[in-house]
Amino acid sequence: MGDLKGNFVKLQELKNIDISGKKVFIRCDFNVPVDEYQNITDDRRIRSALPTIRYCLDNDCSVIIATHFGRPKGGYEEEYSLKPIAKRLHTLLKTEIKLAPNVICDETVKMANDLENGEILLLENMRFEKGETKNDEVLSKTLADMADIYINDAFGVSHRAHSSVEGIAKHFDIKHKAAGFLLASEIKFFYHIIKEPKRPFVSIVGGSKVSGKLEALYNLVPKVDKIIIGGGMAFTFLKALGHDIGNSLCEDDLIPEAIKIMDEAKQLGVKFYLPVDVIAADGFSSEAFAKATTIQEIPKGWMGLDIGPATSLLFAEALEDAHTILWNGPMGVYEMDKFAKGSTKISHAVASSYATTVVGGGDTADLVRKTGDEDAMTFISTGGGASLELIEGKVLPGVKALILE
Ligand code: AMP
């Protein structure tokens, strides 16, 4: 495995360490969406961690699970309690889930000490502890003291240096910590896609801003055969090319960077696609007056909120010969039906291609679920920010400690 810039590194994996009969601390990412009645609306993140949990149970381990959930302010809040998650875990695993009263308190520590082989203890929401996001030393050590083995299976937070993700791992030697099955598969998948893609390799990049994806763009250009830019970020590139983009989203200070990226693509022979038309609106609202227009004719004061029909056809055609497609970021303001057509068409085009298709980013994952194309994608990453950082070529803080020398 590598750090995506080509440096060879190997990850310690769960199947390669001896966990038999041990107490295992598993950091999961159970930050699932819930409705107003606290019903889990999508339990994919819980289901994807089950192989790791089951493997530990099959090896007679006692299992302590930790996760964050929502954004509590740093103390116990009933709204962010893991009760619904404990219930869903119970339904899925068909075994009792002991829910600790808090993250760390005397009773939790006692529950962890008393935990027997085959039993599961779920700690309360990690973000109830202020020290979690500060990577607090004492918290990291207290969590580490609860177990013999540390497993990170939380790809979605592995780009964060938090106590239960990064700090805790320092307290275990490499024979007593590892990447869980989910984490290992996400990292391997992204690594192979970037390092050894079947060509043509096409990357679709969208979303609101260039700034959030600048590093990713720099890292992608030398690796892909084609790059397709949509969403709000396209307008900075279009303005850089001299187009009048009206009130569309634009980061003027990044115009020089946009030019640099396009120049590099040109030099490397990478085909660079930008929208040729847009759905322009007279305001950022689903009530706004909207029409399709070419890039050359965006009315004064209007803004492009989706790619237009000609662009959808153009992009779909550019995807036709792809053998690998990496997609991160919607083509427009897909949350509003009026501006979701472009993203929907691209979703269908990606889904119906014969390529290996990888979708990364929370919005894009949400989008392909809405368009019904989810099952047709080869791989949908559970972590938006983390997958972006991998594409940027970074070693994630939560993964660093699991690398074999
Ligand atoms: P990001 O978090 O950078 O991936 O951006 C995702 C967001 O970009 C979504 O919430 C979209 O509504 C937004 N977006 C996509 N296209 C546009 C656009 N043309 N103008 C403004 N926002 C956009």
Side-chain angles (χ1 to χ4, degrees), residues 206-209 213 231-232 235 249 284 304-306 328-335 363:
S208 57
K209 290 176 178 171
K213 292 184 182 137
F235 294 101
L249 204 67
F284 190 88
L305 295 181
D306 193 11
N328 191 309
M331 297 290 99
V333 185
Y334 76 99
E335 297 93 334
D363 281 320

Side-chain angles (χ1 to χ4, degrees), residues 44-226:
R44 185 185 337 247
R45 284 184 165 177
I46 303 178
R47 281 186 283 118
S48 14
L50 296 181
T52 294
I53 301 171
R54 286 205 177 105
Y55 179 84
C56 293
L57 293 174
D58 288 349
N59 278 278
D60 293 324
C61 297
S62 49
V63 174
I64 301 170
I65 299 175
T67 179
H68 70 292
F69 172 52
R71 291 176 183 270
K73 291 182 185 66
Y76 187 93
E77 284 177 64
E78 187 62 23
E79 187 189 346
Y80 296 109
S81 162
L82 298 191
K83 280 174 194 152
I85 289 166
K87 205 167 140 195
R88 184 60 58 96
L89 258 182
H90 166 71
T91 309
L92 292 169
L93 286 168
K94 298 182 182 63
T95 186
E96 187 199 351
I97 308 295
K98 296 172 192 276
L99 178 62
N102 218 320
V103 180
I104 39 166
C105 60
D106 291 348
E107 199 183 333
T108 301
V109 173
K110 185 173 179 321
M111 286 174 93
N113 284 338
D114 294 347
L115 204 64
E116 298 197 0
N117 295 5
E119 290 187 332
I120 300 178
L121 171 68
L122 177 64
L123 301 186
E124 252 302 355
N125 193 338
M126 286 310 304
R127 302 263 168 100
F128 286 169
E129 274 299 323
K130 279 205 175 88
E132 164 69 353
T133 52
K134 297 188 178 111
N135 208 10
D136 182 80
E137 284 282 328
V138 179
L139 177 61
S140 305
K141 171 95 173 67
T142 314
L143 294 172
D145 284 346
M146 286 182 182
D148 311 308
I149 304 277
Y150 171 71
I151 303 297
N152 182 354
D153 214 18
F155 178 70
V157 280
S158 285
H159 59 311
R160 306 270 185 229
H162 291 172
S163 276
S164 65
V165 181
E166 203 258 0
I168 184 173
K170 293 181 187 150
H171 297 279
F172 296 86
D173 65 41
I174 198 70
K175 289 190 175 137
H176 294 88
K177 61 185 170 187
F181 297 123
L182 177 64
L183 179 72
S185 76
E186 297 239 20
I187 304 260
K188 276 187 199 169
F189 212 93
F190 272 95
Y191 170 68
H192 283 299
I193 284 295
I194 302 277
K195 193 84 199 303
E196 291 154 359
K198 286 220 175 76
R199 295 186 180 275
F201 176 16
V202 186
S203 179
I204 311 168
V205 188
S208 57
K209 290 176 178 171
V210 180
S211 49
K213 292 184 182 137
L214 195 61
E215 284 299 317
L217 285 169
Y218 274 123
N219 203 37
L220 277 174
V221 169
K223 296 190 170 80
V224 299
D225 300 292
K226 306 182 194 184

